Amino acid sequence: MKKKIMIPICVIAAALIAGAGAGFYFGVYARDFKVTSGDIFPDVYPGDFYEGIPFSDYLTDVEPPADALDIRTYGAVPDDPDTNNSDAVNQAIADCAAAGGGTVYVGGGAYTVGSVELKSNVTLFIDSDAALIASHNSNDFDKGCLLLCENAENIRLTGGGKICGEGNHYSLAPKEQPRLFPFEDALGVWEMRQEYRYRIRFAHESKYGNLVRFVGCSGVTIDNFMLENSAAWTLELGGCSGVQIRDFIVNNNRHVANTDGIDVAGSSNVVMEHCFLSTGDDGIVLKHSEDLGGNMEVMENVTVRDCKITSCTNAFKIGTETSMDIRHVLVEDCEFFLTDLYPGGVSGISIESADGAVVQDVTIRDIRMEGELCPLFISLNNRNRDGGKDNTGAISGITVENVQASGIELPVILTGTKKLNIGDVTIRNFSCTYAPGEDYYDYRPFVPSYEKSYPECNRMRNLNAYALWARNVDTLTIEDFSVIPRADTRREERILKNVAHFAVEGA
C-alpha cells in the first residue's frame, strides 16, 4: 500500500519541481531590464554620439533669400538658454504664411524654443551657424513636440542648420556606460539583448514628445538639414503625401530610448535619399495604424536610397504598428552598421506585420551591413493591437537581393504562426559572415511563436541553425545564398518547419 502511495507522490513532486524550474527559466528569459525612475541624467558618455558622421557630405553653406523674415526682428535672442523664443519664431511664421508664403530665417546662433508650428507655403531656413534648441522646461511644449506642421502644404526645412532636441535632458541614467569594445566571453542572444538594455537612457517623466512632426501634410521637402539629440521619435511623417528628403542627417544620442530616426507612419509617395542617420532606436521605420492616425487605407510608394544608418536596434524596419496595409516599398544602395558599440545592432532588415496589415511588394537590394545581430528578420504574428483584425495579416511579394553582411550572430529568420503563413519570399545573392568568437549554446527544443507579443529577433534567443531558420511559410526561394559560420559551430545550416514550398535555385 505504501509503494502505491509513494509512486504518485514522487511523480507529482518531480512534476512540481520541473514546473517551477521551467517557470523560473522562462520567467528569467521573459523579463527585460528597464530603468523606471530617477533623476534626469544629462551627462554624455563616450560612444553616446557617433563620431564618424561626414557632415560636409550632406550639409552645405547656402545664402537665404533676400526677402526672408529674420526671427531677430521679432525679438528672438540667440545664445541665451533662459529666453524662450517660441513666440518670436511663431509670429515670424504666421506673418510669412499670411503674406502668401516665403522664408523664415534663423541665423546667428542658437535659439531656445518650446513648441513651434510651421504653416503652409513657408520655408524654415536655419543657417549653418544656427539652431533651434529645445527648452529644458517641458511646460514650454504645448504641442507635444518641438516643431509641428499639421494639415499644411508646400513646406520646407533647409539651410544647413539644425533643430536640437536635448534628449539627454529628458532621460534617466543608464545602468551601464556604452560598451566600446567586444565582450571577452561569448554571450547568448538574450544576454546581448539585456546588455543593450543596460545602456538605454529610458525616458524621464518630463519628456515632451517627438522632435519634429508632420501630420496630414502634402508637398513636404527636407534638404540640407539636421535633426539632433531627440528625446523620442526624431522625424514623424504621419498621414502625409508627397515627401522628399535628401541631404539630411539625424545625429542622436544612441542610447536615448525610442529615438527612431524617421518614422513614416501612414504616409505615401515618400522618397528618402542620401541621408545619414545615427540613432538609438530604429533608423528608418514604416508604420501604418489607426492608433497613429492613419488617414488612408493603404500606405504605398516609399523609397529609401543611398542612405547610411547606424542604430542600436533595427536599421530598416517595417513595423511594429501595422494594422493597415503597406505596399510598394523599395530600399536600395544602403549601408547599415554598428561597428563602434557592443553588442551591436539588433537587425539590419526587419519586415513585420503584427496587427493585421497586408505587407506586400517589398524589394530590398544592394545592401551592405556590418555589426547587425540578425541580417534579415521577417515576422508575421497576431498581436492585433487595434482590435478587429484577428488573424488577418499577411506578408507577400518580398524580394531581398545583393546583400553582404559581416559580424552577424543569428541566421536569417522567417517566422509566421500556425494560422498565418508568410507568403512568398525570395532571397538571392545573399552572403553573411559570423562575428569572431565561439558559438554560444542554449538551444530550446521549442521556440515559441510569440503570436501576441512584440516581434523582435533577439526575443527568440539562440537558434539551432546558423544560416536559415524558417517556419510557417508558403513559398521560400533562395539563390546564391551563403553564410559562413564560426569554425566551432554545431548548428545545422538550415531549419525549416512547415515551409510548404522551398527551392534552391542555381544549385
Side-chain angles (χ1 to χ4, degrees):
M1 180 65 68
K2 288 184 179 181
K3 288 184 179 180
K4 290 182 181 180
I5 295 173
M6 288 298 293
I7 291 174
I9 291 175
C10 292
V11 171
I12 292 170
L16 289 173
I17 293 171
F24 173 78
Y25 178 76
F26 287 108
V28 166
Y29 284 107
R31 291 195 300 268
D32 276 319
F33 174 81
K34 184 175 182 179
V35 176
T36 58
S37 62
D39 295 329
I40 289 173
F41 184 77
D43 296 4
V44 174
Y45 289 135
D48 278 340
F49 289 87
Y50 180 63
E51 297 182 355
I53 299 177
F55 295 98
S56 61
D57 290 350
Y58 298 85
L59 305 177
T60 58
D61 292 334
V62 293
E63 292 294 325
D67 59 350
L69 300 182
D70 192 325
I71 64 170
R72 286 171 289 191
T73 65
Y74 288 82
V77 180
D79 304 322
D80 181 3
D82 295 326
T83 298
N84 181 353
N85 296 284
S86 297
D87 288 345
V89 178
N90 280 318
Q91 190 59 57
I93 292 172
D95 286 357
C96 187
T103 300
V104 171
Y105 175 66
V106 179
Y111 298 83
T112 298
V113 293
S115 289
V116 171
E117 187 167 4
L118 194 59
K119 297 182 180 297
S120 291
N121 303 311
V122 175
T123 292
L124 181 62
F125 187 110
I126 302 181
D127 214 336
S128 57
D129 69 347
L132 295 182
I133 306 290
S135 166
H136 293 177
N137 182 355
S138 60
N139 293 325
D140 292 336
F141 297 93
D142 59 330
K143 304 295 184 182
C145 59
L146 192 151
L147 180 66
L148 175 66
C149 189
E150 195 168 14
N151 300 321
E153 60 183 10
N154 303 325
I155 52 267
R156 184 182 182 192
L157 302 179
T158 191
K162 65 184 179 183
I163 296 175
C164 180
E166 296 290 86
N168 48 304
H169 289 272
Y170 289 93
S171 59
L172 302 170
K175 178 183 178 182
E176 302 283 353
Q177 293 191 28
R179 177 114 182 162
L180 307 179
F181 47 88
F183 293 91
E184 294 180 4
D185 299 322
L187 296 180
V189 173
W190 184 263
E191 286 73 24
M192 290 181 187
R193 178 182 172 96
Q194 301 314 308
E195 288 289 346
Y196 153 68
R197 294 183 67 87
Y198 294 158
R199 291 160 175 83
I200 294 178
R201 296 165 180 253
F202 290 98
H204 187 267
E205 60 185 7
S206 64
K207 185 183 75 170
Y208 58 83
N210 299 344
L211 187 55
V212 174
R213 297 187 70 217
F214 289 90
V215 181
C217 297
S218 62
V220 178
T221 300
I222 303 173
D223 63 307
N224 192 26
F225 204 78
M226 179 164 68
L227 299 180
E228 183 176 83
N229 199 7
S230 181
W233 288 6
T234 310
L235 173 60
E236 179 186 353
L237 304 170
C240 298
S241 180
V243 180
Q244 298 284 329
I245 302 175
R246 181 177 175 80
D247 297 330
F248 173 67
I249 292 176
V250 169
N251 181 23
N252 280 339
N253 185 319
R254 292 180 292 172
H255 296 96
V256 174
N258 298 317
T259 52
D260 296 354
I262 303 176
D263 287 87
V264 185
S267 294
S268 293
N269 305 312
V270 178
V271 177
M272 296 163 278
E273 57 185 354
H274 198 240
C275 302
F276 195 110
L277 310 181
S278 174
T279 192
D281 212 327
D282 304 328
I284 294 177
V285 53
L286 278 52
K287 306 170 182 286
H288 193 21
S289 74
E290 298 170 12
D291 217 29
L292 291 173
N295 59 4
M296 56 188 73
E297 184 177 345
V298 179
M299 168 178 162
E300 60 186 353
N301 303 329
V302 178
T303 298
V304 179
R305 180 183 295 119
D306 186 24
C307 291
K308 296 182 180 180
I309 301 174
T310 180
S311 162
C312 288
T313 56
N314 308 282
F316 173 79
K317 178 179 177 181
I318 298 175
T320 59
E321 290 89 340
T322 44
S323 61
M324 304 174 76
D325 298 348
I326 300 172
R327 68 187 181 197
H328 307 333
V329 177
L330 172 63
V331 180
E332 62 181 359
D333 191 24
C334 293
E335 296 182 23
F336 305 148
F337 62 96
L338 188 63
T339 54
D340 63 324
L341 293 177
Y342 297 88
V346 173
S347 81
I349 302 164
S350 184
I351 301 171
E352 305 166 2
S353 173
D355 306 307
V358 175
V359 176
Q360 61 184 339
D361 186 21
V362 177
T363 298
I364 301 176
R365 64 192 181 204
D366 302 325
I367 307 296
R368 298 157 300 285
M369 65 178 76
E370 183 176 2
E372 304 291 356
L373 177 70
C374 179
L376 174 61
F377 177 63
I378 301 178
S379 171
L380 175 61
N381 72 344
N382 190 42
R383 184 177 59 169
N384 192 20
R385 171 176 282 183
D386 291 344
K389 290 201 170 183
D390 187 47
N391 288 308
T392 63
I395 296 177
S396 65
I398 310 298
T399 299
V400 182
E401 59 188 359
N402 304 332
V403 174
Q404 295 181 334
S406 61
I408 70 170
E409 294 281 357
L410 277 170
V412 168
I413 301 172
L414 290 80
T415 176
T417 72
K418 290 182 178 180
K419 293 183 178 180
L420 293 173
N421 274 17
I422 294 170
D424 58 302
V425 176
T426 299
I427 305 171
R428 68 166 65 93
N429 193 17
F430 195 103
S431 63
C432 303
T433 304
Y434 268 73
E438 298 180 354
D439 257 1
Y440 183 95
Y441 295 94
D442 180 24
Y443 305 132
R444 292 175 289 179
F446 171 73
V447 179
S449 65
Y450 299 107
E451 183 176 353
K452 300 291 185 180
S453 303
Y454 185 98
E456 204 156 34
C457 62
N458 56 16
R459 186 184 297 277
M460 300 179 70
R461 307 209 324 263
N462 305 294
L463 297 171
N464 55 351
Y466 68 80
L468 176 63
W469 193 94
R471 68 177 172 194
N472 302 321
V473 180
D474 285 337
T475 302
L476 174 57
T477 303
I478 63 174
E479 179 181 357
D480 294 327
F481 180 92
S482 65
V483 177
I484 300 176
R486 296 188 175 99
D488 66 333
T489 190
R490 298 195 299 269
R491 309 186 207 186
E492 299 180 46
E493 181 180 5
R494 296 193 293 256
I495 299 291
L496 306 178
K497 302 178 180 180
N498 188 30
V499 177
H501 301 285
F502 176 72
V504 181
E505 295 187 351

